[in-house]
Amino acid sequence: HWLSNSVKNKREEGKVLKIMSKAKMNMEQFSNVVWCNLEIVILKICSYKEWDAQKVLVYNENPDKLNEIEVVNVFICDENNPIFGNAKSYRESAMLKGIYLGHHFGLPGKLNCIDDYNIAFYHPDPGKIIWCYVIKYVLSIFAYKQHALHFKGGAVEYKKRGFLFLGRGGSGKTEMINALCRNGAKFITNTHMLVKDNYVQGIKSNIRIRRQGKEFYTSIKELHSDNVYGDKALIGGIFWINYNKMGDNVIKKLNSQLAIPNIQYFTEAVINWEMKEDIADYYHSDPFRFAEYINFKNRMIKKVCEENEIYYLNVDIFSNEGFCKTINKMNEIISGKNRKNTLDHQQSGWLSQ
């Protein structure tokens, strides 16, 4: 497997039981079990009661990949569970104040990040915490373990290439992806993606739709039927999108020096979702290991930007001209890469003679 490298599940059931016993928790309480596949790690979500999972794409049966990749236990507990003692980290303290992550906040909750493979929390709306915090945090930790980048953004597969659509919140990424998927492209992701070795892999979470100031969640299958690309895709190009309603349609090349800070602040997961305190706590406030983590991400972002064509996409998504310009640029990028591959092959053949 591209990302997991066939890593076996390191946790033993005995370890979980030991943790629960120490906290005076009874495993039999957690009879409601569902699974969430994040490609490089699987969440086993165990709850003491039924909960609304509309925000998260979950399965009632064990995923096929269970024996191939690692599993993180997520325990949805009641408010008075003894697993919750004094807050030990920044996020555990913030959760008590109703601050989940970045601009996500609401009713107070409780959190205990026990170790890499066990997280316990309480909240009146468990799906909100799994969506707002658990998935983002776990993906950022395990992406680094697999030497991959965790990006926020959208992506489609088009003519055997992956195209990334990045940008600020509300910039039009979702609308552009939906339009492309109605016209020959295949859906890769709308929120979470993993980038490694110039390939992109989408995380198939449920999709948040915003309409008339309200938001709701729908499954990928409902939105895109069977038009979903499930494998990794070689990156063809990257678009930094900024939707406009003025009818203007501008596509302009963005050099790596300009692209890097935008991707660092609005696409890379830790900075975009303000998880620096979580990563610092994960490394027990060790400045050396924290710096290694950040420096790795910065090197990877620089490499991605230098290896790919990046364009600023300031178009009216709903206009025929804007959409056609975008498709034409994607075709132009693919043609250029195909010509380069042909030339490289011919030169290689000439040299080998």
Side-chain angles (χ1 to χ4, degrees), residues 295-306:
N295 289 337
F296 163 80
K297 289 184 173 294
N298 290 341
R299 287 194 303 270
M300 289 282 285
I301 290 170
K302 184 173 184 288
K303 189 169 184 287
V304 169
C305 290
E306 290 177 346

Side-chain angles (χ1 to χ4, degrees), residues 9 11 32-46 51 55-63 65-66 69-76 115-119 121 126-127 129-142 192 203 205:
N9 184 3
R11 290 182 312 95
N32 292 279
V33 179
V34 292
W35 309 79
C36 181
N37 182 8
L38 302 180
E39 299 298 335
I40 53 172
V41 63
I42 291 172
L43 300 183
K44 181 181 179 183
I45 306 171
C46 310
W51 57 284
K55 295 183 179 70
V56 188
L57 182 61
V58 297
Y59 306 89
N60 293 319
E61 298 180 358
N62 297 2
K65 296 179 180 179
L66 188 60
I69 60 178
E70 296 178 293
V71 175
V72 171
N73 292 305
V74 179
F75 298 101
I76 301 174
D115 59 24
D116 288 20
Y117 301 97
N118 297 278
I119 297 172
F121 76 89
I129 301 304
I130 293 171
W131 169 271
C132 293
Y133 180 73
V134 174
I135 289 176
K136 296 176 177 68
Y137 174 73
V138 169
L139 274 175
S140 293
I141 294 298
F142 280 81
H192 299 284
I203 307 300
S205 59

Side-chain angles (χ1 to χ4, degrees), residues 271-290:
I271 295 179
N272 178 76
W273 282 306
E274 300 177 20
M275 287 191 285
K276 61 182 184 296
E277 298 284 358
D278 304 83
I279 301 303
D281 280 328
Y282 177 78
Y283 288 117
H284 306 291
S285 301
D286 184 333
F288 301 98
R289 297 183 70 190
F290 177 82

Side-chain angles (χ1 to χ4, degrees), residues 50-166:
E50 293 184 0
W51 57 284
D52 183 1
Q54 67 164 326
K55 295 183 179 70
V56 188
L57 182 61
V58 297
Y59 306 89
N60 293 319
E61 298 180 358
N62 297 2
D64 294 335
K65 296 179 180 179
L66 188 60
N67 293 323
E68 299 175 9
I69 60 178
E70 296 178 293
V71 175
V72 171
N73 292 305
V74 179
F75 298 101
I76 301 174
C77 306
D78 66 86
E79 184 176 9
N80 299 314
N81 198 294
I83 194 72
F84 305 115
N86 295 326
K88 304 183 300 297
S89 69
Y90 171 87
R91 189 60 54 194
E92 290 174 14
S93 297
M95 196 73 69
L96 292 170
K97 302 172 186 176
I99 302 171
Y100 312 142
L101 200 64
H103 62 276
H104 297 291
F105 55 88
L107 294 172
K110 294 184 178 181
L111 175 71
N112 185 350
C113 293
I114 302 165
D115 59 24
D116 288 20
Y117 301 97
N118 297 278
I119 297 172
F121 76 89
Y122 156 77
H123 192 269
D125 181 2
K128 190 174 185 69
I129 301 304
I130 293 171
W131 169 271
C132 293
Y133 180 73
V134 174
I135 289 176
K136 296 176 177 68
Y137 174 73
V138 169
L139 274 175
S140 293
I141 294 298
F142 280 81
Y144 179 62
K145 290 184 177 186
Q146 298 292 340
H147 309 292
L149 285 167
H150 174 204
F151 276 178
K152 173 198 175 186
V156 299
E157 184 274 338
Y158 181 70
K159 295 184 177 179
K160 299 181 180 181
R161 295 278 184 168
F163 285 89
L164 278 54
F165 290 85
L166 312 177

